[in-house]
Amino acid sequence: DLTRCDLAEGSTREEYLSLVKAYAEAVLRPTALQTDREGVTAAHVSQLAGLGLLNHTAQAEFGGAAVGRAGDRRLHEIIAGSCFNTWLVWAQHAPMVGRLALEYQKGSELSDSSRDVLAGRVLLGAAISDVRRFPHSFIAATRTGDGWTFSGTISWVSGWGLNTVLVVAAVEASSQT
């Protein structure tokens, strides 16, 4: 059972990538057909978290590995090459962590939920593809006081049933943003 704690503090990027590759070859690849039939399991998500893959791009203060773009691309290749279904769930989550980490780095305040995401304690689902279908079909955003009201039907969500938090993209029609 490989976990990120198998690596000593200060391990190199190559050692981290090797650890993930070993996990992918030992666990994801042998179960890929079963995962295709039955879906990604909570156990696989837990294992990804244990490897630091739910917050690999987050800053060290959140327990992240601060993996850069090249390392992130390599992780995508490793996971997708071993189990496409697991990659799809993870690939919807991972960029959102990077976006939160970047906003934090720019000085934005973080909500408790955002801190949980950056710490790798939750899996984000992403319902963001509907904005591409604007103006024919989309999730509508309407300004209401200090917030927004979303309306419409989300056509697709990755990791349904596995996610703790769902990120939804919508369009404010009058400004087309």
Side-chain angles (χ1 to χ4, degrees):
D1 183 33
L2 299 169
T3 65
R4 187 165 175 227
C5 56
D6 291 334
L7 290 174
E9 186 72 25
S11 297
T12 67
R13 173 182 156 233
E14 289 74 26
E15 289 170 322
Y16 183 60
L17 293 172
S18 292
L19 177 70
V20 173
K21 187 168 178 55
Y23 165 76
E25 291 298 319
V27 177
L28 295 180
R29 186 178 304 280
T31 61
L33 290 176
Q34 179 180 352
T35 300
D36 191 48
R37 284 189 302 271
E38 299 172 11
V40 177
T41 66
H44 279 167
V45 173
S46 179
Q47 291 165 353
L48 295 175
L51 286 164
L53 287 167
L54 294 188
N55 67 334
H56 67 287
T57 57
Q59 294 88 341
E61 72 184 272
F62 296 103
V67 171
R69 292 181 75 114
D72 182 53
R73 281 192 297 271
R74 184 67 183 121
L75 290 170
H76 279 267
E77 291 170 358
I78 291 167
I79 296 168
S82 298
C83 179
F84 188 74
N85 291 290
T86 300
W87 170 80
L88 185 59
V89 170
W90 176 77
Q92 294 296 308
H93 166 87
M96 304 309 286
V97 176
R99 288 181 181 147
L100 282 172
L102 181 60
E103 288 303 312
Y104 176 72
Q105 185 178 0
K106 291 178 181 177
S108 294
E109 290 293 319
L110 295 175
S111 67
D112 290 342
S113 293
S114 295
R115 289 183 176 282
D116 286 343
V117 170
L118 288 175
R121 292 189 287 267
V122 300
L123 177 71
L124 287 174
I128 58 176
S129 63
D130 291 300
V131 297
R132 295 182 187 136
R133 296 168 40 201
F134 180 82
H136 305 293
S137 175
F138 60 98
I139 306 303
T142 306
R143 170 75 67 188
T144 54
D146 291 339
W148 296 90
T149 299
F150 287 9
S151 60
T153 302
I154 295 170
S155 63
W156 183 77
V157 175
S158 64
W160 191 255
L162 297 171
N163 303 311
T164 306
V165 176
L166 179 62
V167 176
V168 179
V171 178
E172 197 282 313
S174 66
S175 67
Q176 297 187 7
T177 57

